[in-house]
Amino acid sequence: MSRQSAVNKPERNHRSLSEWVQIVEGLHPRNIEMGLERIRVVKERLGIRFDCPVITVGGTNGKGSTSAMLQTIYGEAGYKTGLYSSPHIHFFNERMKIDGKMVDDETLVHYFEVIEEVRGDVPLTFFEFTTLVAFKLFADSHLDVLVLEVGLGGRLDAVNLIDADIAIVTNVAIDHVEYLGDTREKIGFEKAGIYRQGKTAFYGDIDPPESLLAHAASVGARLKVFGTDYRFETDGDHWDYLGEKSSYASLVPPSLKGDTQIHNATTVVAAVEALQQRLPVDAAAIERGIMKTELPGRFQILQNEPSVILDVAHNPHAAAVLAKNLKDMGPFHATHAVFGAMSDKDIDGVIELMKGCVDRWYVTDLPLPRAATAEALKDKLISAGVTRGKTNQCISVYHNAVDAMTSAKNNAQKNDRIVAFGSFWVVTGVTEEGDLKPTNHR
């Protein structure tokens, strides 16, 4: 054993889940290191395999909503489901669910110990280690169906170790340029890496990148594209799904709010349709699943008078959707925005799309090194023309999201609204209670 791995090798004696999470965060010098070589070695040592259908969901935005709807629909149909997603809002356990319920601490601690024992000298990032925890847990759980949400990109993401029976790319927009590239074509190639030969693949939006189409063709995936191979039509308060082999009329809107959720649900129904021979699901289960899906931080309305809305829109593509959703809510006296972001995001692009919707900004620091400071966010807002005279009274600076939200609530009137958006850490901060502390996010 090398000196470095000996130093990093944790003791196993009675460690809690939070202690394991903290330890694993320090095993690798980098939080993100793309590539599958290290994690593949440990996966093979563990002998992980899945006999159930696996659905892998990637994309720039909407993959969390899509994954959650898939899990809920199959649960409503009576199947034993597994769901792996990231990041979490408050509890690490949110990342791994069986039958829609978070896995308990004791079980997760056991699998942390198993992975630690087997990895030997292999240095794993936090996401690689915890993905192996999820793989081993789910492989031992005798599931009927497993839904895996990609963490970042696709081709080199740890989730891509598993060959998916159904692979979904929800959409492709500019994000994570330092890892995926700075054009839709480069990013599309990376995200298309989850497609497999002879398996059904989906692109859940119009205008797929040429690189994604070319990669799907080169690997022999059966690609289905939204708007061409399947689509939806709205009919008053209801909507119709129109697929290649089936259709469903007068579906109720998804429980998840926002302009894009029927769009996401359409791809979800198409994926369920593609697996009908292996996992039959009737129309009633599809409708119940769409109605019952819950997911925090996706245009989540917490209260009224004043309205409080949470949204993890952290790139221009998501900000455009959020801006439209806010406009579709109808008139409000004033809109207060609690905003925090990572410094490597296109903050200027987000501000440009949102500034017309917001009357007063409450910018906040976030508790990790790569976050943009509140002062930096203020400077960007001023550069974008968000000012009120020489005193910039419409921009306030805070050291944490809780204080920013408290100030917004104190200033808001009953007919105002407050939107807390940007990084997942903003949603974590404004909903934090007592001593509850978030751990590593990705």
Side-chain angles (χ1 to χ4, degrees), residues 6-197:
V7 170
N8 286 339
K9 200 74 171 177
E11 297 179 4
R12 292 178 53 182
N13 296 333
H14 308 296
R15 293 194 181 275
S16 67
L17 177 60
S18 60
E19 289 173 324
W20 270 108
V21 169
Q22 185 175 7
I23 289 167
V24 171
E25 286 176 336
L27 290 179
H28 196 281
R30 298 180 62 185
N31 184 44
I32 299 172
E33 183 171 342
M34 307 300 285
L36 301 179
E37 294 79 10
R38 298 177 307 279
I39 187 173
R40 180 179 285 112
V41 169
V42 184
K43 172 184 173 288
E44 291 175 354
R45 290 176 185 173
L46 290 161
I48 292 170
R49 64 186 297 266
F50 296 101
D51 297 322
C52 67
V54 176
I55 305 172
T56 298
V57 182
T60 303
N61 296 302
K63 57 183 180 287
S65 301
T66 299
S67 299
M69 280 191 268
L70 283 164
Q71 185 275 319
T72 309
I73 287 171
Y74 281 114
E76 288 296 317
Y79 294 109
K80 185 175 183 180
T81 64
L83 172 62
Y84 179 51
S85 61
S86 63
H88 59 273
I89 301 296
H90 290 301
F91 300 104
F92 176 84
N93 315 57
E94 296 168 27
R95 294 174 178 241
M96 301 169 206
K97 295 181 180 178
I98 295 177
D99 288 336
K101 297 179 181 178
M102 293 188 296
V103 178
D104 62 86
D105 285 18
E106 183 178 359
T107 300
L108 290 176
V109 164
H110 166 72
Y111 283 101
F112 269 84
E113 292 175 346
V114 169
I115 304 307
E116 179 57 32
E117 185 68 27
V118 172
R119 79 173 178 93
D121 294 346
V122 179
L124 298 172
T125 66
F126 176 84
F127 189 73
E128 290 168 345
F129 194 110
T130 55
T131 298
L132 286 168
V133 168
F135 285 172
K136 182 60 175 168
L137 163 70
F138 291 136
D140 291 348
S141 297
H142 307 291
L143 302 173
D144 294 315
V145 61
L146 173 60
V147 180
L148 300 174
E149 180 188 339
V150 171
L152 193 159
R155 182 175 66 94
L156 299 177
D157 188 81
V159 164
N160 200 34
L161 275 181
I162 306 302
D163 293 326
D165 297 276
I166 300 288
I168 299 169
V169 175
T170 56
N171 48 61
V172 173
I174 306 299
D175 201 7
H176 297 294
V177 295
E178 69 275 31
Y179 298 106
L180 306 180
D182 57 0
T183 68
R184 287 186 75 241
E185 292 299 325
K186 293 176 182 177
I187 296 170
F189 172 77
E190 294 295 332
K191 293 189 181 296
I194 65 174
Y195 295 160
R196 291 295 191 273
Q197 180 180 7

Side-chain angles (χ1 to χ4, degrees), residues 207-440:
D207 189 27
E210 289 296 326
S211 61
L212 180 141
L213 297 175
H215 184 74
S218 70
V219 301
R222 299 193 298 267
L223 181 63
K224 312 295 181 184
V225 177
F226 175 89
T228 301
D229 299 297
Y230 64 98
R231 59 191 174 88
F232 74 89
E233 292 179 354
T234 55
D235 181 15
D237 292 333
H238 291 71
W239 62 286
D240 302 334
Y241 167 78
L242 304 170
E244 288 188 304
K245 297 180 179 179
S246 61
S247 61
Y248 300 98
S250 296
L251 294 167
V252 297
S255 56
L256 299 177
K257 305 300 181 184
D259 182 59
T260 60
Q261 294 302 346
I262 290 178
H263 194 133
N264 292 334
T266 303
T267 298
V268 166
V269 177
V272 171
E273 180 184 14
L275 274 179
Q276 278 286 11
Q277 288 190 339
R278 294 182 69 181
L279 295 173
V281 179
D282 62 26
I286 290 174
E287 187 157 46
R288 288 196 308 272
I290 291 170
M291 288 173 59
K292 292 184 177 182
T293 301
E294 297 179 354
L295 190 64
R298 277 69 169 186
F299 204 69
Q300 180 185 9
I301 300 175
L302 290 186
Q303 68 174 58
N304 295 307
E305 295 186 341
S307 293
V308 175
I309 303 145
L310 308 181
D311 200 296
V312 292
H314 57 270
N315 56 50
H317 185 270
V321 173
L322 174 57
K324 185 178 187 306
N325 288 338
L326 291 171
K327 291 174 184 176
D328 288 348
M329 289 180 73
F332 283 78
H333 176 260
T335 297
H336 306 253
V338 176
F339 177 52
M342 297 297 108
S343 59
D344 54 358
K345 298 298 180 181
D346 182 2
I347 298 171
D348 294 327
V350 170
I351 289 172
E352 188 62 31
L353 288 159
M354 287 294 296
K355 67 181 184 180
C357 304
V358 177
D359 299 290
R360 181 163 181 175
W361 293 80
Y362 306 75
V363 293
T364 179
D365 294 329
L366 297 174
L368 65 169
R370 71 184 185 97
T373 66
E375 287 292 344
L377 295 177
K378 178 181 176 180
D379 290 343
K380 285 182 174 294
L381 285 165
I382 293 171
S383 296
V386 180
T387 59
R388 181 176 297 163
K390 296 181 178 180
T391 58
N392 302 322
Q393 294 176 9
C394 58
I395 307 171
S396 305
V397 173
Y398 299 88
H399 291 303
N400 60 72
V402 174
D403 289 347
M405 176 59 82
T406 299
S407 182
K409 285 184 174 181
N410 289 338
N411 290 327
Q413 305 299 312
K414 281 188 175 183
N415 56 346
D416 289 353
R417 64 183 171 188
I418 303 168
V419 55
F421 79 100
S423 167
F424 273 82
W425 286 89
V426 174
V427 174
T428 299
V430 300
T431 56
E432 213 167 24
E433 296 180 4
D435 295 326
L436 189 62
K437 299 296 182 185
T439 53
N440 183 287

